[in-house]
């Protein structure tokens, strides 16, 4: 071996050493993030279960006067019924809630996009070439952007 950078082949090297090193690095990074940010959120089903439990605990902790005891009992019963109705659905179909959460996120992103596009059109029309809030139509009233005069007669 004349080249200093060449190394003899080590037949004892693990064939998946790279995979093992990557897995160790990933585990260390996950642990670091867990220490820094706390435990990651669970699935949508687990989060829904936590929400129902938190609402039930909050409602049961509310102190009402004597006249409100009947109402408090009714609210507790309603929360218990809701919890009993939701729990089997969560147990049978936990992935459904993940899909619903993803769909909600997509709908929110689409709404934001539509609103941002409309706001761009509004603000672009407000500073038109005439300096008066957009172009004028053929009849001299407001055009497509800016302030428009509406005749109510």
């Amino acid at each position: 071996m004349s080249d200093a950078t060449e190394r003899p082949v080590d037949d004892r090297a693990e064939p998946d050493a790279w995979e093992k090193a990557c897995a160790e690095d990933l585990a260390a990074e996950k642990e670091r993030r867990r220490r820094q940010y706390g435990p990651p959120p669970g699935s949508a089903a687990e989060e829904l279960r936590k929400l129902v439990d938190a609402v039930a605990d909050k409602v049961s902790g509310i102190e009402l006067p004597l006249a409100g005891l009947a109402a408090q009992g009714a609210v507790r019963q309603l929360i218990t019924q809701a919890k009993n109705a939701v729990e089997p659905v969560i147990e049978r179909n936990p992935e459904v809630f993940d899909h619903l959460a993803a769909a909600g996120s997509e709908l929110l992103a689409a709404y934001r996009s539509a609103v941002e596009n409309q706001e761009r059109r509004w603000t672009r029309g407000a500073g038109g070439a005439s300096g008066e809030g957009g172009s004028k139509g053929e009849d001299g009233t407001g055009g497509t952007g800016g302030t428009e005069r509406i005749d109510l007669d």
Side-chain angles (χ1 to χ4, degrees):
M1 306 227 163
S2 61
D3 192 354
T5 58
E6 285 186 31
R7 292 185 218 143
V9 176
D10 186 4
D11 292 334
R12 296 174 294 154
E14 291 185 47
D16 58 345
W18 181 255
E19 180 182 349
K20 184 177 177 183
C22 288
E24 289 172 356
D25 288 347
L26 182 61
E29 178 64 17
K30 284 182 179 180
E31 181 59 31
R32 184 191 66 78
R33 286 179 182 251
R34 193 173 295 117
R35 281 192 310 265
Q36 185 175 358
Y37 301 112
S43 68
E46 291 170 357
E47 295 299 315
L48 178 62
R49 187 176 288 128
K50 288 179 188 177
L51 176 65
V52 170
D53 289 341
V55 169
D57 290 343
K58 207 55 147 160
V59 167
S60 66
I62 296 174
E63 296 290 328
L64 295 176
L66 289 176
L69 286 178
Q72 186 176 10
V75 169
R76 283 184 184 159
Q77 183 179 2
L78 179 67
I79 295 293
T80 302
Q81 287 174 346
K83 190 174 178 181
N84 291 337
V86 167
E87 197 65 36
V89 175
I90 293 172
E91 291 297 322
R92 283 192 309 263
N93 305 308
E95 66 280 351
V96 168
F97 293 98
D98 292 332
H99 292 296
L100 289 173
S105 296
E106 289 296 319
L107 286 172
L108 181 59
Y111 174 76
R112 282 183 182 155
S113 177
V115 168
E116 287 172 357
N117 288 336
Q118 186 62 38
E119 286 176 346
R120 272 195 295 276
R121 279 187 242 131
W122 287 337
T123 56
R124 190 177 36 209
S130 65
E132 296 183 18
S135 60
K136 297 213 178 241
E138 291 179 16
D139 60 353
T141 60
T144 59
T147 306
E148 182 176 342
R149 182 176 180 275
I150 301 173
D151 189 9
L152 298 176
D153 292 329

